[in-house]
Amino acid sequence: MTRGEPEDPRAARTRARLRSALLEECAERPLEEVGVAALVRRAGVGRATFYVHYPDLEALAVDACADVVREAVEALHAWRGRPDPVRAPAALPEFFGSLTPHAALYRALLTPGGGGPLGRVLHRDLRAYSLRERERAGAADAPLVASAVAATFAGVLADWLHGDLQGTPGEIADQVWQLLVALHASR
């Protein structure tokens, strides 16, 4: 499939079933204990079908968690006008609070410091969005600040999920928000 072409509805349904099955499996056991055989059985598809859509379980897991990346980017940009420098927009603490049901899976894919396969996707998407916004506003050093914003958010999120940072979803949202506002104001 090339960019711009509509996705085959059958393929979309199959991938949705695989993502759902993975999330259900990971609610019962850690990702490293999930096997392709149990996963395809739960999804009601064949093993070969799994490999048509994903090269391995990690690729499926990152795809299943891609909504988290989209939600993070939206939560960070859920404000208009002049941002409150102390309190995060309501969408940000809601985002942090929404991570609980699949926190173990996110920890498996987002390593401390913001690395790992999910960290790479989060960094890429957040940096692209921030860069676009900063360039649109004519801000100085847009690439530098966009990289710093993406790295800061991914690192704080990962460290919070891994227990290296303490705080409620509201507290961590306000703290990371203050860092990000400072980064934007520094240039």
Side-chain angles (χ1 to χ4, degrees), residues 53 59 63 78 104 118 133-134 140 143 146 159 162 173 176 182 185 187:
H53 296 282
D63 188 34
L118 190 58
E133 291 297 308
R134 292 198 55 83
D159 288 354
H162 284 275
V176 75
R187 299 304 296 183

Side-chain angles (χ1 to χ4, degrees), residues 1-9 11-12 15:
M1 181 170 72
T2 60
R3 286 190 185 272
E5 289 181 22
E7 184 176 23
D8 176 355
R15 280 193 293 281

Side-chain angles (χ1 to χ4, degrees), residues 32-66:
E32 58 272 5
E33 293 178 16
V34 173
V36 173
L39 178 76
V40 297
R41 199 170 26 258
R42 187 181 286 254
V45 301
R47 191 177 188 92
T49 299
F50 170 83
Y51 288 108
V52 165
H53 296 282
Y54 298 101
D56 54 32
L57 281 172
E58 184 179 277
L60 168 59
V62 170
D63 188 34
C65 296

Side-chain angles (χ1 to χ4, degrees), residues 43-104:
V45 301
R47 191 177 188 92
T49 299
F50 170 83
Y51 288 108
V52 165
H53 296 282
Y54 298 101
D56 54 32
L57 281 172
E58 184 179 277
L60 168 59
V62 170
D63 188 34
C65 296
D67 284 344
V68 169
V69 172
R70 181 186 46 76
E71 290 166 7
V73 171
E74 288 174 3
L76 283 172
H77 294 90
W79 56 275
R80 295 289 173 251
R82 190 170 191 86
D84 181 332
V86 177
R87 306 273 307 156
L92 196 55
E94 290 170 11
F95 164 75
F96 278 97
S98 74
L99 299 175
T100 303
H102 301 294

Side-chain angles (χ1 to χ4, degrees), residues 115-131:
L118 190 58
R120 286 188 295 274
V121 173
L122 176 60
H123 187 275
R124 180 197 68 213
D125 290 0
L126 184 54
R127 184 184 187 284
Y129 190 101
S130 294
L131 181 60

